[in-house]
Amino acid sequence: MTDARGEDERLTIDIDGWEGPLDLLLALARNQKVDLREISILDLVEQYLDYVGHAQSLKLELAADYLVMAAWLAYLKSALLLPRDPEVEPSPEELAMRLQLRLERLNAMRDAGARLMARDRLGRDVFTRGAPEGLRTIRQTVWQAEIYDLIAAYGRVSARTRPVLHVVAQRPVMTLETAIARVEAMVGERIDWSTIESFLPADASPGFRKSALASSFLAALELARQGKVQLKQKSPFAPLYLRGPA
Amino acid sequence: MSTPDDLTRAVEAVLFAAEEPLTIHEIKAHLGDADVRPVLDALSEHYAERGIALVRRGERWHFETAGDLAHLLRRDREEPRKLSRAGTETLAIIAYHEPVTRAEIESIRGVQISKGTLDVLMEAGWIRPAGRREVPGRPLTYATTQGFLDHFGLASRRDLPGIDDLRAAGLLDPVDLAMEQAEVENRDEEA
Amino acid sequence: MSTPDDLTRAVEAVLFAAEEPLTIHEIKAHLGDADVRPVLDALSEHYAERGIALVRRGERWHFETAGDLAHLLRRDREEPRKLSRAGTETLAIIAYHEPVTRAEIESIRGVQISKGTLDVLMEAGWIRPAGRREVPGRPLTYATTQGFLDHFGLASRRDLPGIDDLRAAGLLDPVDLAMEQAEVENRDEEA
């Protein structure tokens, strides 16, 4: 017991050195000086609870996870000691086994880390060549362009900067003079009222027909003003009729 | 090996001049398309007893001084900064369990790891993010690097000290986070 | 030299790891006071036929790659890259108008050209300086090269299509041309 007390004192002093409750448990387990697979979980729990209790009596501030672990271990201890309740899953034995496995696992990684660090390490124990000549890769750009790119580029440049010639395309138009002559000539041959559309060229394209209609309308107004044509329309947008002078 | 042939001399020269460990592919790029692998094996054997060794680290090869001569060479060299205990354990866990999530590392160590720990290992060039695990939350996993193999003189992860024994003992089995979680919840209830 | 002895191995490793050539005195400092000179001679001899050589420069010794293998240490790699739009236009103008000054190229393009553009064309081996124009300022003119003809599969510059060919091929200002085209069709209807 005095031994255990002494151990506690040492642990108390090392409080900042523990990397969490599992680390502390592992240190306690190693103190049992047996293979981890044969440690007494109950002893371990005792020691842990003892340690935490002692730390608290010294009013040392323990991180919450140490206390949580203490509570869980207290539960485990009572479960291990009290008569078995078959309803409770997992069994306390399994929980104990799982705790022992976690300790083994952490222990294995701690050993592995130490063995790793003890290897012949590059830059500490073994060295690469101090002054290597170095390997050089000379990158050479191979420029690529196709003949089409070249020609198209020239076309683009030419089009962009060549003086632009504006050619007004010829539009199909019936001039007012033509329309006056046509309407004047045609109206003389008509006896009765005829729609203005009947004065348009029969085979005109739509574009030309529009122009002919506009010009013929103006021609009709002009001829009416001169008294050479009579106009009749029943209402706005109704058909427009033309007839020779009365 | 008596008089080395031209290809052997060429491979030797390229590896000797290189500033970094080279893959077979990279060696070939300097030599035209030769069958380099048998040459590497023969060279390794030739150098095995010398003061320089040709070693394989992962998929890469390089020359380095023989390990038993460390005491002669360490003179006036600065000892690399010592890794903390948390760093050492975290590195070991990643190396032996990779790819492994942060939660799994924490579960094995039984304590949270500070952000700095992974940063230090990453900065040393020993670990790298290794994709996300396809579980809820898609946590990032970590694995070791070529630099890790180089630094610790490992031909591959299979050379990790004791890895076969640990695996046989079931100590490298996937960490059952669900179990641990249940335990934590249990613990919370009791608390 | 069969199996090297410990001193030989040590000298080998020390020279290999050294960042600069070492004097015998410096080598000794690493090894305790050994008789290094005969070891250096033996090592020189051993490496004489290999891809690595132990050489003496003045009073200093160091390893280097064998002189006859230096060409392996550099390797050329070709990286294809597409000529930029500015580069293509400038090249086209030079090809159609050579010899042509930079100011003329800019006037034809309607846009300034950067020095880099001409450099790239020069680097590609497609254009060359072609004397100075005897006008104030004596500006440099540029012309295409044989390499240009070779690359574009032309027997001579006369093989380049003329303006009329370009127009016929629809390569002159494709946007406006499309409109013109539509108008022509309209007119055809009426005719």
Side-chain angles (χ1 to χ4, degrees), chain B residues 93-166:
Chain B
I93 292 167
I94 294 173
Y96 283 76
H97 291 82
E98 75 178 48
V100 63
T101 67
R102 186 180 174 130
E104 288 160 352
I105 298 169
E106 290 178 340
S107 154
I108 292 172
R109 294 196 64 229
V111 68
Q112 290 207 323
I113 43 175
S114 66
K115 180 134 175 40
T117 304
L118 289 172
D119 281 355
V120 163
L121 296 176
M122 211 107 67
E123 197 191 324
W126 293 338
I127 66 164
R128 63 183 167 86
R132 297 187 176 276
R133 179 150 299 160
E134 292 304 334
V135 296
R138 303 187 68 241
L140 200 59
T141 66
Y142 294 90
T144 54
T145 62
Q146 174 71 38
F148 170 79
L149 297 178
D150 291 347
H151 184 86
F152 292 98
L154 299 162
S156 76
R157 279 187 59 246
R158 282 193 301 277
D159 282 2
L160 284 168
I163 192 168
D164 290 337
D165 294 340
L166 293 178

Side-chain angles (χ1 to χ4, degrees), chain B residues 49-51, chain C residues 1-6 8-9 12:
Chain B
E49 58 189 13
R50 305 202 62 90
Chain C
M1 185 181 296
S2 52
T3 309
D5 60 21
D6 285 349
T8 305
R9 295 180 69 239
E12 211 173 17

Side-chain angles (χ1 to χ4, degrees), chain A residues 129-130 133 135-140 142-145 149 151 154-157 159-162 172, chain C residues 16-17 63 65 73-77 79-83 85 89 97 108-109 151 163 166 173 190:
Chain A
R129 197 167 160 219
E133 286 91 351
L135 298 173
R136 278 192 306 283
T137 300
I138 314 290
R139 288 197 169 74
Q140 227 173 4
V142 181
W143 292 98
Q144 291 191 322
D149 300 331
I151 295 166
Y154 193 68
R156 206 160 57 227
V157 169
R160 198 160 66 216
T161 57
R162 195 165 289 273
Chain C
F16 174 83
F63 277 116
T65 48
L73 307 188
R74 53 164 286 178
R75 129 187 112 100
D76 295 327
R77 209 172 83 191
E79 287 184 345
R81 240 178 101 184
K82 197 160 158 47
L83 196 60
R85 184 183 163 114
E89 289 185 6
H97 296 266
I108 295 169
R109 263 195 90 204
H151 181 89
I163 288 294
L166 294 181
D173 212 347
E190 266 125 62

